[in-house]
Amino acid sequence: MNPSRAPIIAGNWKMQHGGRSGCELAASLRRELGDPRGVTVIVAPPFTALAAVSAELDGSPIAVAGQNLHAAPSGAFTGEISAAMLSEAGASWVIVGHSERRQLFGETDASVAQKTAAALSAGLRPIVCVGETLEERDAGRTFDVVLSQARAVLDALAASGGVHALAYEPVWAIGTGRNATAAQAEEVHARLRALLAETSPALAASTPILYGGSVKPDNASALLACANVDGALVGGASLDAAQFLAIVAAAHRA
Ligand code: 13P
């Protein structure tokens, strides 16, 4: 990590923990976190648990994120949630373009760009996810894929006033127990930062780039020690307070 960027540790609960167990987890995190010492700690519960988890964390240093949003401000979009609704439910961040959304729900670079812009215009801070599949990595296309996904949101990020984050999540490392090595993560993060620098050095310097994909207490320190890894987007290990807080502690030490 670079000391000029505050580290971010975000837990993506995915479709796990409804209101009841989500509030229990949030209460444990609140009780046991103590002083986050400059680390931004975020949890992203499912939509139905957002308001209750936000209430549970009210006044605590832990921020809440949505896992997705619709790009329109309102309208006839059955089953969808707008940025303003997330904000009203207590979210200040939102994950955009997670690979599960791209792969399973047909999200494209264009829709991810629209959602990113919609989040920003409603005052939500987007965490925009990029990442290659194993097939793309094996074909030597990692940089092509990741950089073109990031290029799609560059204009929105450049206009965001520095409130956004990027997350590199190699698809082959998500939920597989197979994390990228620190060297593999750093290589991609450095390329992403170089892409941001083409727009402006200030954008490159101010954008936190998180790593996600099987981050656990035992590999977090090595990943977070990389110069261009500014935090972690954690799936499975964020479902357990002790594991998630151990990753937050690794960010303190990095
Ligand atoms: P895992 O940590 O379970 O691999 O999930 C990563 C992820 O997708 C976070 O958004």
Side-chain angles (χ1 to χ4, degrees):
M1 287 189 316
N2 180 314
S4 69
R5 290 181 291 274
I8 297 174
I9 303 295
N12 177 7
W13 295 358
K14 307 191 180 183
M15 199 171 74
Q16 286 135 159
H17 286 308
R20 191 182 306 253
S21 64
C23 282
E24 285 167 13
L25 176 55
S28 301
L29 292 173
R30 179 178 195 149
R31 202 172 43 244
E32 289 158 36
L33 172 65
D35 179 356
R37 289 193 280 149
V39 178
T40 298
V41 181
I42 304 169
V43 294
F47 288 145
T48 56
L50 253 180
V53 167
S54 296
E56 189 71 48
L57 294 173
D58 191 32
S60 84
I62 304 172
V64 175
Q67 297 178 12
N68 179 33
L69 77 162
H70 193 279
S74 64
F77 301 107
T78 302
E80 294 292 321
I81 307 284
S82 72
M85 289 169 183
L86 291 175
S87 189
E88 189 183 26
S92 48
W93 293 82
V94 62
I95 298 169
V96 185
H98 191 279
S99 65
E100 288 151 15
R101 302 285 331 158
R102 293 178 190 260
Q103 296 212 306
L104 305 174
F105 302 100
E107 294 202 10
T108 60
D109 286 351
S111 66
V112 171
Q114 286 169 350
K115 289 178 179 208
T116 302
L120 287 164
S121 66
L124 278 180
R125 306 182 65 171
I127 301 172
V128 182
C129 302
V130 299
E132 81 288 3
T133 63
L134 186 57
E135 206 175 29
E136 289 162 342
R137 174 162 281 264
D138 287 346
R141 297 189 50 231
T142 298
F143 294 136
D144 283 357
V145 170
V146 166
L147 296 179
S148 79
Q149 289 172 341
R151 258 187 214 105
V153 293
L154 264 187
D155 288 348
L157 300 191
S160 98
V163 299
H164 59 273
L166 278 177
Y168 169 54
E169 296 208 316
V171 176
W172 48 270
I174 295 177
T176 57
R178 180 183 160 191
N179 65 290
T181 63
Q184 285 172 321
E186 175 60 14
E187 189 182 34
V188 177
H189 283 230
R191 286 293 282 266
L192 283 167
R193 201 168 308 281
L195 174 72
L196 296 168
E198 287 171 20
T199 298
S200 85
L203 183 65
S206 64
T207 299
I209 307 178
L210 317 185
Y211 169 78
S214 297
V215 177
K216 308 287 177 203
D218 62 357
N219 60 27
S221 296
L223 290 160
L224 293 168
C226 298
N228 287 292
V229 176
D230 304 308
L233 183 52
V234 186
S238 73
L239 304 176
D240 176 82
Q243 287 194 45
F244 187 59
L245 292 173
I247 296 168
V248 174
H252 289 146
R253 291 190 300 270

